[in-house]
Amino acid sequence: MAFSVNDWETPDDVRLSPRERVALLIIEAELRQDRRLVHRMRVTSGRPRFQRGLWLPLAFLLLAGASAFTAVVGIRTSDPSLLWCFALLWPLTLMQGFRLLCRTTRRRPPSSGASPWL
């Protein structure tokens, strides 16, 4: 990919010499060739996708499992403490399920192949 000195836009208050512009273009071209860096820039732009995308479904599954367990065991044993635990866990499970549903149905802008930094 060939760049010319005039392709690089700068804010109005910043003045770079042609030599500085060429040096920056060379540095950017070298950084774009580093696949690990490009991947990390994509992952860390905004929120990290892996960490953000993992915790909500995991929390929902754990709460749903705990709610089901306390409901079944509480009903079978007629233990009031287990039924109260279910009564406390169930709204939290519904809230996490609603958050998960909202996140999965949220419209996302179409992603272009270019990084927002470029």
Side-chain angles (χ1 to χ4, degrees):
M1 179 182 266
F3 295 101
S4 71
V5 175
N6 294 329
D7 288 342
W8 195 63
E9 297 178 14
T10 60
D12 293 333
D13 59 341
V14 176
R15 301 284 181 221
L16 297 176
S17 70
R19 176 185 280 172
E20 292 171 329
R21 289 183 182 190
V22 170
L24 285 175
L25 288 173
I26 291 171
I27 292 170
E28 287 178 352
E30 290 174 357
L31 289 175
R32 277 190 215 105
Q33 290 176 356
D34 186 0
R35 290 183 182 182
R36 278 189 266 170
L37 177 65
V38 170
H39 177 70
R40 283 175 63 195
M41 291 298 288
R42 249 188 249 133
V43 169
T44 58
S45 62
R47 297 181 191 168
R49 179 76 178 138
F50 178 73
Q51 292 174 359
R52 179 179 174 260
L54 180 68
W55 291 110
L56 186 59
L58 184 63
F60 174 71
L61 288 175
L62 288 174
L63 281 170
S67 296
F69 177 77
T70 55
V72 169
V73 174
I75 290 171
R76 288 193 48 107
T77 62
S78 298
D79 186 8
S81 62
L82 286 172
L83 293 174
W84 277 107
C85 285
F86 171 73
L88 292 174
L89 283 174
W90 186 241
L92 295 174
T93 305
L94 290 178
M95 183 184 69
Q96 290 295 84
F98 182 72
R99 288 181 61 207
L100 185 61
L101 180 66
C102 288
R103 192 176 78 186
T104 56
T105 58
R106 183 182 315 141
R107 292 182 184 217
R108 291 188 177 93
S111 63
S112 62
S115 171
W117 297 101
L118 302 178

